[in-house]
Amino acid sequence: TDPLASNFLENAQVDDESWIDSPVNTSDFTYVGELEGHYYYTSNYRNNWFDSESLVQQNNGHQVTISSELENDFVYSIASNLFSEDNTSSHLLYIGYVQNVESDSYSEPNGGWEWVNGEENLYVNWAGTNEPNNANGGENCTEMEAGSSNGAWNDVQCSDLFYSLLELEPGCTDSTAFNYDMYATYDDGSCIPV
């Protein structure tokens, strides 16, 4: 069901993980959907945030970055489906929003929050006025709570074991090309030489 695989079948109903030439490894991730030209894959197992970030980078993506309510709702639907399958805790999905303790704007609990790919902070959805709160100390990573009513976010310790959501952004990754896309994580062959 991975549309980036060379053996993609548009009408496939079941993902048998037989992808060929996908930029994402089927033993690590499962394809879960596409929104506005971005492709999303859930990890097949839980990791701490640092291992999750390493894994998504090895698979040509980054932890999901959320720039709108539409995208947050989309990610929340993925988290909800994951929760219905996992059913151990509603605290289960990392997103790529981290607190940079080296940032000039760093302060606890509200300062220094950044997207892993450097995107501008256009949208946030903290769980009410009490988040982020650094409740347990060292809460510099973010999860989307599957049990919340609106895909709300919670700051958590980066050592917590959660699933990750890989976001793959096709585009031109050649920095010398006319149409270079600094946020693209997967070269789609569209580069135009200068």
Side-chain angles (χ1 to χ4, degrees):
T1 59
D2 181 353
L4 298 178
S6 62
N7 63 336
F8 171 65
L9 296 173
E10 189 171 335
N11 297 323
Q13 299 295 316
V14 176
D15 186 350
D16 64 3
E17 298 183 359
S18 64
W19 312 337
I20 297 174
D21 298 326
S22 172
V24 178
N25 186 331
T26 62
S27 64
D28 296 327
F29 291 94
T30 300
Y31 174 76
V32 291
E34 181 268 335
L35 179 70
E36 297 179 336
H38 295 199
Y39 299 88
Y40 299 82
Y41 302 77
T42 54
S43 62
N44 294 334
Y45 42 87
R46 294 171 181 255
N47 274 314
N48 66 51
W49 194 92
F50 300 103
D51 289 344
S52 291
E53 182 62 13
S54 177
L55 191 62
V56 296
Q57 288 179 11
Q58 291 168 19
N59 282 274
N60 300 298
H62 57 75
Q63 302 244 28
V64 66
T65 57
I66 301 172
S67 59
S68 68
E69 185 175 354
L70 175 68
E71 189 171 19
N72 195 76
D73 291 347
F74 177 75
V75 172
Y76 178 62
S77 72
I78 293 169
S80 296
N81 288 339
L82 192 59
F83 175 61
S84 68
E85 293 170 15
D86 183 88
N87 206 21
T88 57
S89 170
S90 63
H91 300 275
L92 56 84
L93 185 67
Y94 278 123
I95 62 173
Y97 202 49
V98 294
Q99 191 173 32
N100 179 355
V101 298
E102 303 295 322
S103 170
D104 290 340
S105 64
Y106 170 75
S107 67
E108 284 298 348
N110 297 311
W113 289 96
E114 302 172 351
W115 290 111
V116 292
N117 66 349
E119 274 181 31
E120 189 178 346
N121 285 328
L122 299 175
Y123 177 84
V124 294
N125 192 34
W126 292 113
T129 58
N130 295 328
E131 295 293 345
N133 60 17
N134 198 35
N136 296 310
E139 292 189 342
N140 300 326
C141 290
T142 307
E143 64 145 340
M144 177 182 280
E145 292 189 55
S148 72
S149 60
N150 65 349
W153 308 348
N154 175 40
D155 59 329
V156 294
Q157 294 178 335
C158 301
S159 59
D160 291 344
L161 300 178
F162 295 139
Y163 293 101
S164 56
L165 183 59
L166 179 151
E167 182 176 0
L168 195 142
E169 300 183 41
C172 176
T173 60
D174 180 353
S175 62
T176 65
F178 174 74
N179 60 332
Y180 170 66
D181 180 351
M182 67 186 285
Y183 298 118
T185 56
Y186 172 71
D187 197 313
D188 63 2
S190 67
C191 295
I192 301 169
V194 176

